[in-house]
Amino acid sequence: MYVAMVKKYVDAINEGQVPNISTAWEHLMENEALAAYDEAIQLYEIALRNFFLNEDRARAIEDVYNILKNIRDSALEKFHKIAASVEKSEYTENYKSQLKDFIEQKENAAISINEELNRVKNEEILV
């Protein structure tokens, strides 16, 4: 975390400039928020794949919602844990909003896939 800030200071000094503490701190906050976002996305995608995409079977809608809620909660918890040092920054809020949008899109896709699997299963039963 602080290595990036020190690197900014050294780079500024090497370029004959005066290090700007606020710029370095903003860069640090953005990097931390981005790292939290990336790790939360990775956790979410792996968990989603493990619960849904590795199986071609339909699930009850209640199960789908419960599983999605657990995956969402885990991803957001991971995000907050990593971004704790910069929790109230605009970068954190921006990446948190992007994470929530990403999760919503994935949840809608998972629900659609599950509904399609249920439709196919019902058609097979009726035929």
Side-chain angles (χ1 to χ4, degrees), residues 9-75:
Y9 287 163
V10 171
D11 289 346
I13 291 169
N14 286 340
E15 293 171 5
Q17 301 172 354
V18 176
N20 185 334
I21 293 172
S22 64
T23 303
W25 180 248
E26 285 182 18
H27 182 71
L28 175 74
M29 288 190 301
E30 184 176 14
N31 282 346
E32 286 298 300
L34 178 59
Y37 172 82
D38 288 342
E39 289 203 31
I41 292 285
Q42 183 179 16
L43 172 74
Y44 187 88
E45 288 182 326
I46 290 169
L48 187 66
R49 196 173 311 117
N50 288 340
F51 282 111
F52 290 104
L53 303 180
N54 287 337
E55 298 181 28
D56 284 339
R57 68 179 182 91
R59 297 175 182 264
I61 194 66
E62 298 84 18
D63 293 341
V64 171
Y65 284 121
N66 288 332
I67 291 167
L68 289 173
K69 180 186 180 313
N70 290 338
I71 296 170
R72 179 186 334 112
D73 290 348
S74 295

